[in-house]
Amino acid sequence: MNLGVIGSGYVGLVVGACFAESGNDVVCADKNEEKISTLKRGEVPIYEPGLKELIAQNVRGGRLSFTSDLAQVVKFSEVIFVAVGTPEDTDGSADLKHVLEVARSVGKQMNGPKIVVMKSTVPVGTADLVSAEIKQHTNFPVEVVSNPEFLKEGSAIDDFMKPDRVVIGAPTVEAAEIMRELYAPFVRTNNPILVMDVRSAELTKYAANALLATKVTFMNEIANLCERVGADVTSVRRGVGADERIGHHFLFPGVGYGGSCFPKDVRALSRIGREAGAQMEIVESVDRVNTAQKMRLVEKALTHFGRDGIAGKRFAVWGLSFKPRTDDMREAPAVTIITELVKRGATVCAYDPEALQVAHDMFAKLGGGIQFASSAYDALNGADALFIITEWNEFRRPNFARMNELLKTPVIFDGRNLFEPAKMNRLGFRYYSIGRAAVGI
Ligand code: NAD
């Protein structure tokens, strides 16, 4: 089938490459011409494991190409996937300007019947808006399907190729059938394709993300309580997760969730609820508690160094991306933590295996407050303490003797509970983590 993907970011590129891999002819478009030139040169503008190879393979096979010409994509495609950004608007709602801009362009370029598939995460009722916008500009029939994307950055290709489920909100049986055919190669182990009405599909995406964000946030709140009452969150987590009804996923305490989805989707769901007259009390508090959680390590540092003791200190930071295996720093806890440390007069030397370039651009406004190191150990040189913010694998088994030697004072604020407190105590570190007692002198 001839497919178009509009928006060649984290989602669009994975969707395009995976559908090409299953034999479709795919054209990916983006209005960012620099991004398209990069892709045409055979480079991939983001870091996602396996994506570069998958794209190269399908470009070589003649099934995948890139363009900044939207008209070309619309004319070429029977099914058009929309994967543009839906960032947060000033009032917390999802900003639909990119989506509606695409709808307008699609409407103007229609040359026959089409199916338009919403991959972007959009509020309930958006498919209707998109359909109305397209129909203002064409008389060709169009069906707008909601097919929310559940991939996770860092394992996006696997998630797309072997989805837990595929959710399809289709306005007609015919549109649902075409979607089933497209996804058939990815559900050969009988993972379900769940066909439902369009609005339910739109809401499913927000409900899933908000529930996951709630699980993380609930456990962070329990971790904070553990510190107060002398319990150990690792034991509590294991005890809770062993209940089959709860499960072990998303129970690891930390410095708050970030990324391009949970924060904005939680806030957009609150907004959807308010507009519909159904206030989302739980969802609203999840956002509040998470915002506070991002400051937990800074609070620990303030307790350790004293309220005025941070000024003039030099801190090492390990991990900048919002989670491992991605270079995505949107709403990453590292941004909040580093900005606060620099605001309080500290300097930061940060290292991340993949996000250094993104961080460099993002932190340009902090001026001299932040430097970047080319290795985890380089970052430690002469630092008054280390902050661990992202749990990249390479941080899990470091050379502690070398760390101790490089740090000016052996103090660690670990936002991901990577190490055993008793061991850190033995090794001579002052070690703070989340939901467990601080150790060391
Ligand atoms: P992204 O910012 O990485 O990519 C979006 C792309 O759309 C950009 O390259 C941008 O230039 C392009 N674009 C914007 N307006 C355009 C237009 N008018 N014409 C052509 N291209 C245009 O965003 P993303 O992370 O891929 O997310 C896309 C959507 O998918 C969002 O709604 C997001 O919530 C949702 N989503 C993201 C993830 C994720 O893990 N990133 C997972 C599931 C769902």
Side-chain angles (χ1 to χ4, degrees):
M1 203 173 260
N2 284 1
L3 307 180
V5 179
I6 302 181
S8 300
Y10 286 88
V11 170
L13 286 176
V14 172
V15 168
C18 291
F19 276 128
E21 178 70 9
S22 60
N24 299 285
D25 290 312
V26 183
V27 181
C28 286
D30 204 287
K31 69 173 182 183
N32 181 334
E33 300 200 358
E34 200 183 315
K35 206 174 242 191
I36 293 298
S37 308
T38 307
L39 287 160
K40 281 184 170 170
R41 281 199 307 274
E43 292 162 31
V44 177
I46 53 164
Y47 172 71
E48 176 62 42
L51 184 60
K52 192 168 188 229
E53 296 74 12
L54 192 69
I55 288 179
Q57 195 171 304
N58 283 283
V59 168
R60 267 199 310 276
R63 292 181 299 275
L64 181 61
S65 60
F66 303 99
T67 181
S68 52
D69 179 6
L70 224 69
Q72 184 198 329
V73 181
V74 177
K75 295 203 156 41
F76 167 82
S77 316
E78 297 152 79
V79 180
I80 300 165
F81 288 84
V82 179
V84 296
T86 46
E88 187 176 342
D89 213 339
T90 43
D91 61 0
S93 64
D95 184 349
L96 293 178
K97 69 169 181 279
H98 301 304
V99 168
L100 293 175
E101 188 183 317
V102 168
R104 224 169 5 260
S105 314
V106 170
K108 286 182 182 166
Q109 303 298 337
M110 293 271 287
N111 58 343
K114 312 262 175 207
I115 292 181
V116 171
V117 182
M118 297 307 304
K119 266 282 165 214
S120 300
T121 303
V122 289
V124 182
T126 303
D128 291 342
L129 288 180
V130 167
S131 178
E133 182 66 42
I134 295 174
K135 284 174 181 163
Q136 276 197 24
H137 305 281
T138 182
N139 289 323
F140 286 114
V142 63
E143 309 229 45
V144 181
V145 169
S146 167
N147 169 218
E149 182 49 58
F150 296 99
L151 63 75
K152 303 180 288 297
E153 287 173 21
S155 57
I157 293 170
D158 236 29
D159 292 342
F160 193 89
M161 297 280 203
K162 295 178 228 148
D164 294 338
R165 79 309 205 182
V166 176
V167 169
I168 293 169
T172 61
V173 175
E174 293 74 24
E177 203 39 50
I178 290 176
M179 294 301 290
R180 272 186 199 282
E181 275 176 34
L182 276 176
Y183 276 103
F186 307 116
V187 292
R188 295 178 61 231
T189 48
N190 281 341
N191 290 348
I193 293 183
L194 304 169
V195 176
M196 57 184 77
D197 67 275
V198 174
R199 284 176 178 244
S200 301
E202 288 173 329
L203 188 53
T204 299
K205 173 66 190 177
Y206 283 108
N209 270 2
L211 190 54
L212 292 169
T214 303
K215 212 172 167 190
V216 172
T217 306
F218 181 85
M219 211 54 204
N220 283 338
E221 216 169 41
I222 293 291
N224 296 341
L225 178 61
C226 284
E227 290 176 19
R228 296 276 175 166
V229 299
D232 182 327
V233 75
T234 307
S235 305
V236 177
R237 174 178 63 73
R238 288 194 184 121
V240 169
D243 184 328
E244 277 183 14
R245 294 168 302 177
I246 297 172
H248 290 287
H249 292 298
F250 279 77
L251 287 188
F252 289 82
V255 280
Y257 60 76
S260 63
C261 290
F262 282 10
K264 81 169 172 54
D265 291 351
V266 163
R267 291 195 281 267
L269 184 57
S270 303
R271 191 76 204 172
I272 293 168
R274 274 170 188 250
E275 280 170 10
Q279 191 159 348
M280 311 294 288
E281 305 270 9
I282 296 174
V283 176
E284 287 181 14
S285 32
V286 165
D287 185 41
R288 266 200 315 278
V289 174
N290 188 63
T291 302
Q293 190 69 14
K294 287 185 175 180
M295 290 299 286
R296 284 300 287 147
L297 286 192
V298 176
E299 283 160 13
K300 286 170 193 276
L302 286 171
T303 307
H304 179 88
F305 291 106
R307 294 213 80 76
D308 300 319
I310 284 189
K313 294 282 183 304
R314 176 185 166 87
F315 296 124
V317 165
W318 282 5
L320 294 165
S321 55
F322 83 93
K323 66 173 184 180
R325 293 167 65 82
T326 180
D327 60 353
D328 197 342
M329 284 190 63
R330 289 176 281 187
E331 301 221 25
V335 178
T336 310
I337 294 167
I338 292 172
T339 306
E340 186 63 26
L341 293 174
V342 171
K343 200 172 88 193
R344 287 175 178 273
T347 53
V348 165
C349 186
Y351 168 73
D352 186 283
E354 292 295 339
L356 285 179
Q357 186 54 52
V358 177
H360 196 271
D361 300 343
M362 190 175 247
F363 283 120
K365 60 180 183 305
L366 284 185
I370 179 162
Q371 298 157 7
F372 299 101
S374 54
S375 80
Y377 295 107
D378 280 352
L380 298 177
N381 218 341
D384 293 283
L386 163 65
F387 286 73
I388 301 176
I389 306 182
T390 317
E391 67 279 31
W392 285 92
N393 270 343
E394 69 174 74
F395 303 151
R396 288 182 186 276
R397 308 279 314 231
N399 180 333
F400 291 108
R402 192 168 165 204
M403 287 171 72
N404 212 330
E405 217 166 84
L406 288 166
L407 281 165
K408 193 160 96 192
T409 44
V411 180
I412 299 179
F413 300 99
D414 179 358
R416 300 294 173 181
N417 290 359
L418 295 191
F419 313 128
E420 278 308 315
K423 178 176 173 185
M424 298 309 280
N425 189 25
R426 270 200 315 279
L427 291 169
F429 288 93
R430 177 73 176 149
Y431 179 64
Y432 296 88
S433 52
I434 305 284
R436 308 182 299 181
V439 294
I441 23 138

